Amino acid sequence: MTEQHHNDVFAPIDIDHVMERVAGGNETEVYCSDDRRFVVKLKGELASRDAAAMLADARRMQQAAQRFAACLGSRHTIPTYFLLSRDSEGFVHALAIQPYLVNARVLAGIDWQSVDTVRRRQIGRDLRHMIARAVGCLFRTGHLPDLYGRVSANAAERSRRKQWCYLPERLWSFLVERTILQSQNLMLTDEQPPRLILIDYDEVRRNRLYRLIYFLARLVLFGRDLFVIWWKLER
């Protein structure tokens, strides 16, 4: 059953201001246009009544998207555009607009037993290539693209899981459960040969200490995931 949402924030790209919710992440709600040409990403927590502040924020997000796309290369990225739009309550949002990847699947939803050996090995090589480029991006720019991502059912669930009582569960998920093969931010297209595409281009917004700890943890987990890639896809 589809989940339809009506909001004036969709006015620039949808005539009736109604769009279908197709996914949700750590901070983002994702909707698709009626003609299945575009996805629209909405970060409700970043909304503001100050249009000038949101314009500056949209420019920062655009710069981050361009930086990560340049780091990973055109084979593994899609274009992302930003526009400002005011919602039904008068708040201004920076909407992220991307092409809709028809028949693409998130990595976490793939049954690897159904994928033939040659294709699994190619995907493994692509994952290694993306990890290497992501690490290079970190050392060159001080920023790291998120190759993992999280999924959420709705904004209420995201808010609930940010409570301190969920910290052990979040740490377990981050450190143990979510390997690169459980990624929600990487999609596999149905092209021949298929491509791995990063769909999230957000940068870490926290303070310097948080980013340092997060990046060090990611570097360690990249090492673990190189082994996971070999074990699950390449051996």
Side-chain angles (χ1 to χ4, degrees):
M1 183 176 179
T2 60
E3 187 177 343
Q4 302 288 331
H5 291 261
H6 178 276
N7 197 311
D8 291 345
V9 76
F10 302 135
I13 54 174
D14 192 272
I15 193 169
D16 63 0
H17 306 182
V18 176
M19 297 191 74
E20 177 187 346
R21 183 187 186 275
V22 293
N26 191 39
E27 299 176 336
T28 308
E29 293 289 289
V30 184
Y31 306 87
C32 71
S33 59
D34 294 341
D35 57 8
R36 290 296 196 273
R37 292 180 59 201
F38 303 103
V39 295
V40 177
K41 296 185 175 181
L42 177 65
K43 295 179 181 295
E45 296 176 1
L46 297 183
S48 171
R49 294 190 185 275
D50 186 345
M54 287 309 303
L55 177 59
D57 206 31
R59 285 172 173 163
R60 285 193 294 270
M61 289 190 283
Q62 182 73 69
Q63 290 170 354
Q66 291 172 343
R67 179 192 307 120
F68 293 146
C71 285
L72 293 177
S74 59
R75 173 172 168 76
H76 299 300
T77 56
I78 53 176
T80 305
Y81 305 97
F82 293 87
L83 59 84
L84 298 185
S85 182
R86 196 176 296 275
D87 67 16
S88 301
E89 298 179 356
F91 288 93
V92 178
H93 297 256
L95 299 182
I97 313 296
Q98 294 177 330
Y100 183 85
L101 299 176
V102 180
N103 297 326
R105 296 174 292 168
V106 294
L107 225 57
I110 295 177
D111 175 13
W112 295 107
Q113 297 301 317
S114 67
V115 180
D116 65 74
T117 302
V118 173
R119 185 168 296 182
R120 282 204 310 269
R121 288 176 176 170
Q122 179 60 56
I123 294 170
R125 287 192 293 269
D126 285 345
L127 284 172
R128 289 178 178 275
H129 179 69
M130 295 182 76
I131 289 174
R133 280 183 168 264
V135 172
C137 183
L138 175 61
F139 285 109
R140 285 196 310 274
T141 71
H143 298 276
L144 183 69
D146 183 5
L147 304 185
Y148 296 80
R150 290 172 57 188
V151 64
S152 61
N154 49 53
E157 181 188 70
R158 282 200 304 276
S159 179
R160 184 174 66 253
R161 290 186 176 278
K162 289 180 180 179
Q163 298 174 15
W164 282 103
C165 60
Y166 285 94
L167 180 60
E169 179 183 324
R170 296 203 308 270
L171 288 174
W172 177 260
S173 174
F174 178 80
L175 297 172
V176 179
E177 290 183 333
R178 283 187 290 142
T179 70
I180 194 75
L181 298 187
Q182 301 302 316
S183 172
Q184 298 288 339
N185 282 353
L186 295 177
M187 298 192 77
L188 187 67
T189 70
D190 65 346
E191 301 168 279
Q192 295 301 326
R195 289 192 299 151
L196 278 175
I197 302 291
L198 177 69
I199 59 173
D200 189 306
Y201 300 90
D202 294 335
E203 60 185 358
V204 178
R205 293 173 173 267
R206 304 292 186 87
N207 60 59
R208 186 185 297 267
L209 178 60
Y210 179 97
R211 292 201 306 270
L212 177 61
I213 295 172
Y214 175 83
F215 293 155
L216 288 175
R218 277 295 182 218
L219 291 176
V220 173
L221 294 175
F222 278 152
R224 173 206 62 183
D225 285 346
L226 290 174
F227 174 79
V228 170
I229 291 167
W230 172 80
W231 183 260
K232 294 286 188 178
L233 304 180
E234 298 177 331
R235 69 187 178 95

